[in-house]
Amino acid sequence: ISLEPPTGLRLFGIPNNETEWDTKNVTFIWNASSAPDCKYQLEIYNGSDVLLRTVELYDTSYTYLVSDNISDNNGTPSATLKVKVATLSWDGKSISIYSPTLTFTNTVPDTITGVGCQATVGAVSFYWDGVSTEDHKTYSVRTKVGNDAWTDWENCANNEYVRTLTDTEITAYTSRAMIYIEVKDVDWYDQTSATATSTTGYRDWE
């Protein structure tokens, strides 16, 4: 049996055949073959051309879960996926050539905006605009006081962070200290926004 490869491989829900997605999971779709009772074989590779997954299915779409991506790629999600699809006969004995391989990429998060601060009793409360993209996973923040070193980056589930001073910092900075914060957006593909955003706030305790 002579089979033609599927056409129209693309991302579901993305207009103009664009090749970037910003969702947590990604769905590939293609046009149905004219061959009767056929099925399809989909191959997904990471950005280094390592085969992650081969799927046989009758549908003309496949949703690749980020959890499967992480598992297939040895614990690290691949933000670049190379995909191709072929037509299979119903009994699996005949296969077409593969469609041209297409490369799809998860978008890097945008820089956080709207960072501000509010003095509270005994602390400074920082806040920023929440991220609404579906592949947003968490925020990453770090702070420093005065000329001290930055703290380590830590995850922050919400778009606010309260920074209090330690006893050592209170002693070092007497009655007033300038506190700095940097914030990044982190997505499900372990990508962070290109530029952290910094602002300052004063804490008074007299």
Side-chain angles (χ1 to χ4, degrees), residues 189-203:
Y189 295 86
D190 290 343
Q191 301 178 114
T192 61
S193 52
T195 305
T197 305
S198 180
T199 191
T200 59
Y202 279 109
R203 169 185 164 164

Side-chain angles (χ1 to χ4, degrees), residues 131-185:
V131 175
S132 59
T133 54
E134 187 184 324
D135 65 346
H136 164 75
K137 181 180 181 181
T138 189
Y139 302 101
S140 185
V141 303
R142 68 176 183 173
T143 59
K144 74 171 184 174
V145 179
N147 295 320
D148 292 349
W150 288 98
T151 62
D152 293 333
W153 289 98
E154 62 177 292
N155 290 339
C156 179
N158 302 311
N159 59 321
E160 60 181 357
Y161 183 84
V162 177
R163 177 63 157 90
T164 57
L165 270 68
T166 65
D167 291 341
T168 299
E169 290 167 338
I170 291 174
T171 300
Y173 289 94
T174 62
S175 64
R176 202 178 204 201
M178 181 174 285
I179 305 173
Y180 302 83
I181 191 170
E182 289 187 338
V183 188
K184 296 180 181 180
D185 181 25

Side-chain angles (χ1 to χ4, degrees), residues 14-49:
I14 305 298
N16 303 321
N17 291 324
E18 294 179 10
T19 58
E20 294 185 334
W21 83 92
D22 63 359
T23 52
K24 180 178 178 181
N25 305 310
V26 58
T27 299
F28 308 105
I29 60 174
W30 54 91
N31 300 329
S33 171
S34 60
D37 300 323
C38 67
K39 53 185 178 179
Y40 306 96
Q41 182 165 295
L42 184 77
E43 290 189 351
I44 302 174
Y45 298 77
N46 65 17
S48 300
D49 297 318

Side-chain angles (χ1 to χ4, degrees), residues 71-147:
S71 176
D72 294 343
N73 203 45
N74 297 318
T76 302
S78 178
T80 298
L81 299 174
K82 299 181 179 182
V83 182
K84 60 184 180 180
V85 61
T87 304
L88 280 172
S89 60
W90 66 272
D91 58 6
K93 294 181 178 180
S94 299
I95 185 171
S96 72
I97 63 172
Y98 276 91
S99 64
T101 300
L102 295 183
T103 300
F104 302 102
T105 306
N106 182 259
T107 56
V108 175
D110 292 330
T111 304
I112 295 292
T113 60
V115 179
C117 59
Q118 176 67 47
T120 61
V121 176
V124 172
S125 178
F126 293 96
Y127 53 85
W128 53 89
D129 295 335
V131 175
S132 59
T133 54
E134 187 184 324
D135 65 346
H136 164 75
K137 181 180 181 181
T138 189
Y139 302 101
S140 185
V141 303
R142 68 176 183 173
T143 59
K144 74 171 184 174
V145 179
N147 295 320

